[in-house]
């Protein structure tokens, strides 16, 4: 028998099967799904970053002011905040792959139609603001549905690699749209960037539906790649009890801090380099950190899964990954406070961004350890908090730069927030399931 299964009977006399793929079995199915989700996340960021890439050209074409351009760009994040919890909740009920598929088809079509809306609407500023808000709404369900999918159907010892691999798609997408998108912008105009990224996203959705999710293929993948998961529907009272768990509060606070510092670095690093090193090459600081982030993310996933498979405590491994993500990265962030050269600054930023990716194998996976039955909704809560505080911290960082005239204040703020989140995670994080007791003992606590 080429596929071995481990199972245990629950109180409701159901069986939980966990399939371990042997060497000569259906292992390519798992690899195909990993690549498909990686490409989906890559295209997600291609579509997301298309507007910032084309913002200058569109502002010139439609005579937008800086304030109007900022309104268009910022509307995405407000929409992004509102569907996180809903997307996770629905994913926990109907399946994360279905939510991801439908949303990708919608935001892909929205991206492709963006130039048409801009040209044929009498008020382009209004149509673009609304379209970006809708883009945020549609893309807001991606990561919660991914967390739900992973928590329900991927064994504990493989979650780190899957999440880190798929998470690296965000850096790959930023690189691709920054390079190829800029080239298309110069050769064919800003419209081409939206057309290509949007149509490729729709094509990805069609291929995912056609070859991976349709009919017999759906059942086959569910039983071979994803072990059957258990779902519990928590009442409102049990949700309140869940949020009283120290470990749950810890992952929310830690993710909030991680997202806030990442958004701040992402938003202000280009301005930092232009202000501090006006003669520095833009492609260097816009490309090299992301090249470092991709292998770093993959390495963190492999390392965490290897340590767990070797018998190390899961909670300790999650804390170790988060220590690198928030602790060690803060050291390199502080190095930017001093006087440095352009190559050294690029090296420090690259190290910071690379180490930050270790959170894909830390707090991002820990939510699946704690509450796999409702990981999508819980991750949605985490991402909503992170998005809101991220926007606030980006604005506050700009205030600090204007009032102090020093970038050291921003990097110091990032370090303080990182250490706050890290301290919380190290003190209170756990890896045992906390949603089982709330479900009144319906499931045994099965350790993978």
């Amino acid at each position: 028998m080429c596929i071995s299964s481990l199972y245990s009977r629950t109180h409701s006399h159901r069986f939980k099967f966990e399939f371990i793929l042997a060497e000569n079995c259906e292992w390519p199915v798992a690899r195909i799904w990993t690549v498909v989700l990686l490409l989906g996340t890559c295209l997600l960021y291609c579509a997301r970053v298309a507007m910032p890439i084309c913002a200058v050209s569109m502002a010139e074409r439609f005579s937008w002011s800086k304030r109007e351009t900022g309104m268009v760009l910022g509307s995405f994040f407000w929409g992004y905040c509102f569907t996180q919890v809903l997307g996770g909740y629905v994913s926990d009920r109907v399946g994360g792959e279905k939510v991801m598929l439908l949303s990708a088809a919608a935001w892909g079509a929205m991206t492709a139609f963006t130039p048409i809306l801009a040209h044929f609407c009498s008020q382009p500023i209004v149509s673009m603001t609304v379209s970006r808000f809708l883009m945020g709404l549609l893309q807001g369900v991606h990561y919660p549905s991914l967390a739900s999918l992973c928590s329900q159907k991927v064994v504990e010892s493989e979650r780190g690699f899957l999440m880190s691999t798929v998470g690296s798609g965000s850096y790959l997408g930023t690189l691709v749209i920054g390079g190829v998108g800029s080239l298309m912008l110069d050769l064919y105009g800003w419209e081409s960037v939206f057309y290509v990224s949007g149509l490729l996203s729709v094509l990805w959705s069609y291929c995912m539906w056609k070859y991976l999710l349709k009919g017999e293929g759906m059942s086959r993948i569910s039983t071979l790649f994803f072990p059957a998961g258990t779902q519990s529907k928590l009442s409102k009272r049990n949700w309140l009890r869940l949020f009283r768990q120290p470990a749950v509060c810890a992952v929310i606070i830690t993710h909030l801090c991680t997202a806030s510092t990442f958004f701040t670095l992402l938003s202000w690093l280009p301005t930092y380099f232009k202000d501090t090193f006006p003669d520095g090459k833009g492609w260097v600081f816009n490309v090299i950190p992301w090249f470092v982030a991709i292998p770093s993310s993959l390495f963190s996933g492999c390392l965490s899964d290897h340590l767990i498979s070797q018998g190390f405590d899961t909670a300790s491994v999650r804390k170790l990954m988060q220590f690198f993500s928030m602790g060690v990265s803060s050291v390199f962030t502080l190095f930017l406070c001093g006087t440095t050269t352009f190559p050294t600054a690029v090296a420090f930023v690259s190290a910071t961004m690379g180490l930050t990716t270790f959170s894909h194998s830390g707090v991002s996976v820990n939510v699946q350890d704690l509450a796999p039955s409702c990981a999508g909704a819980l991750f949605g809560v985490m991402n909503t908090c992170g998005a809101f505080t991220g926007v606030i911290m980006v604005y506050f960082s700009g205030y600090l730069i204007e009032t102090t005239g020093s970038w050291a204040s921003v990097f110091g703020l990032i370090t303080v927030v990182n250490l706050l989140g890290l301290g919380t995670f190290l003190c209170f994080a756990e890896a045992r399931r906390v949603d089982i007791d709330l479900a009144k003992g319906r499931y045994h606590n099965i350790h993978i």
Side-chain angles (χ1 to χ4, degrees):
M1 186 175 181
C2 64
I3 300 177
S4 61
S5 62
L6 305 174
Y7 60 90
S8 59
R9 187 181 299 271
T10 65
H11 286 299
S12 59
H13 304 288
R14 297 179 182 177
F15 289 89
K16 178 179 179 180
F17 294 93
E18 293 173 354
F19 293 92
I20 304 175
L21 301 183
E23 264 189 344
N24 298 321
C25 301
E26 299 290 344
W27 63 267
V29 178
R31 301 296 180 263
I32 290 172
W33 263 90
T34 302
V35 172
V36 167
L37 294 175
L38 169 66
L39 291 176
T41 305
C42 176
L43 290 170
L44 177 90
Y45 269 77
C46 286
R48 181 181 301 185
V49 183
M51 179 64 78
I53 290 291
C54 302
V56 175
S57 299
M58 295 180 70
E60 294 176 354
R61 170 66 176 80
F62 300 111
S63 301
W64 292 344
S65 65
K66 293 290 184 183
R67 182 178 180 181
E68 289 173 329
T69 303
M71 181 175 64
V72 173
L73 295 174
S75 59
F76 173 89
F77 293 99
W78 293 114
Y80 188 72
C81 295
F82 288 114
T83 51
Q84 298 283 333
V85 179
L86 177 62
Y89 179 84
V90 175
S91 297
D92 290 336
R93 297 302 179 271
V94 303
E97 68 279 2
K98 298 176 183 178
V99 175
M100 192 182 302
L101 172 68
L102 293 174
S103 65
W107 56 254
M110 176 68 69
T111 303
F113 276 101
T114 295
I116 299 175
L117 294 173
H119 285 298
F120 289 95
C121 182
S122 58
Q123 295 292 333
I125 185 66
V126 175
S127 63
M128 290 299 95
T129 300
V130 173
S131 68
R132 288 297 290 177
F133 178 79
L134 293 176
M135 275 286 291
L137 288 176
L138 295 170
Q139 289 199 353
V141 305
H142 181 85
Y143 281 106
S145 63
L146 179 63
S148 177
L149 180 67
C150 184
S151 68
Q152 295 289 339
K153 302 177 179 180
V154 180
V155 293
E156 184 181 61
S157 60
E158 296 178 0
R159 289 173 184 167
F161 176 75
L162 178 65
M163 289 298 290
S164 62
T165 301
V166 176
S168 67
S170 61
Y171 313 119
L172 179 61
T174 304
L175 274 176
V176 170
I177 197 65
V180 179
S182 298
L183 183 62
M184 293 174 58
L185 177 64
D186 294 334
L187 295 178
Y188 306 108
W190 61 268
E191 295 89 348
S192 63
V193 180
F194 289 98
Y195 289 141
V196 172
S197 59
L199 292 176
L200 285 176
S201 300
V202 174
L203 179 62
W204 176 84
S205 303
Y206 174 77
C207 291
M208 181 180 176
W209 170 78
K210 179 71 174 179
Y211 299 107
L212 292 180
L213 296 182
K214 190 176 180 180
E216 183 180 352
M218 176 70 171
S219 174
R220 182 168 176 267
I221 290 169
S222 296
T223 57
L224 289 179
F225 178 62
F226 299 135
T230 57
Q231 292 185 350
S232 65
K233 298 182 179 180
L234 301 181
S235 65
K236 292 181 179 179
R237 181 180 178 182
N238 286 333
W239 269 105
L240 292 176
R241 291 176 58 192
L242 182 68
F243 285 124
R244 293 193 188 104
Q245 297 284 334
V248 173
C249 294
V251 295
I252 294 176
I253 293 173
T254 305
H255 184 81
L256 181 153
C257 295
T258 301
S260 299
T261 54
F262 179 76
F263 283 145
T264 303
L265 288 170
L266 188 67
S267 300
W268 287 110
L269 279 178
T271 306
Y272 161 75
F273 277 106
K274 289 180 181 179
D275 289 349
T276 310
F277 308 102
D279 297 328
K281 299 293 185 180
W283 67 268
V284 174
F285 59 78
N286 282 327
V287 171
I288 291 181
W290 304 112
F291 267 122
V292 174
I294 294 174
S296 176
S297 179
L298 298 176
F299 172 75
S300 70
C302 293
L303 177 61
S304 66
D305 286 353
H306 174 72
L307 292 176
I308 293 174
S309 66
Q310 293 299 309
F312 287 90
D313 179 61
T314 301
S316 300
V317 173
R318 304 297 186 223
K319 292 179 180 180
L320 177 64
M321 297 297 106
Q322 205 60 34
F323 173 76
F324 281 107
S325 175
M326 305 183 80
V328 181
S329 68
S330 295
V331 175
F332 291 97
T333 303
L334 284 177
F335 286 161
L336 294 170
C337 297
T339 304
T340 183
T341 62
F342 179 70
T344 307
V346 173
F348 289 157
V349 169
S350 299
T352 298
M353 301 307 294
L355 289 166
T356 300
T357 64
F358 277 61
S359 65
H360 292 308
S361 304
V363 66
S364 296
V365 186
N366 189 227
V367 65
Q368 301 164 26
D369 302 326
L370 295 173
S373 63
C374 54
L378 186 56
F379 191 88
V381 173
M382 293 163 53
N383 236 17
T384 299
C385 295
F388 273 121
T389 55
V391 172
I392 294 173
M393 189 165 170
V394 168
Y395 282 123
F396 184 67
S397 297
Y399 170 78
L400 286 179
I401 296 170
E402 288 185 358
T403 55
T404 65
S406 171
W407 284 95
S409 60
V410 175
F411 296 135
L413 173 65
I414 290 172
T415 301
V416 170
V417 174
N418 268 337
L419 294 180
L420 173 64
L422 177 61
T424 303
F425 195 74
L426 293 179
C427 290
F428 300 105
E430 300 177 6
R432 65 177 180 84
R433 288 189 62 172
V434 298
D435 59 339
I436 302 174
D437 294 337
L438 301 180
K440 298 183 179 180
R442 287 178 59 190
Y443 307 112
H444 288 298
N445 192 355
I446 303 172
H447 295 279
I448 302 174

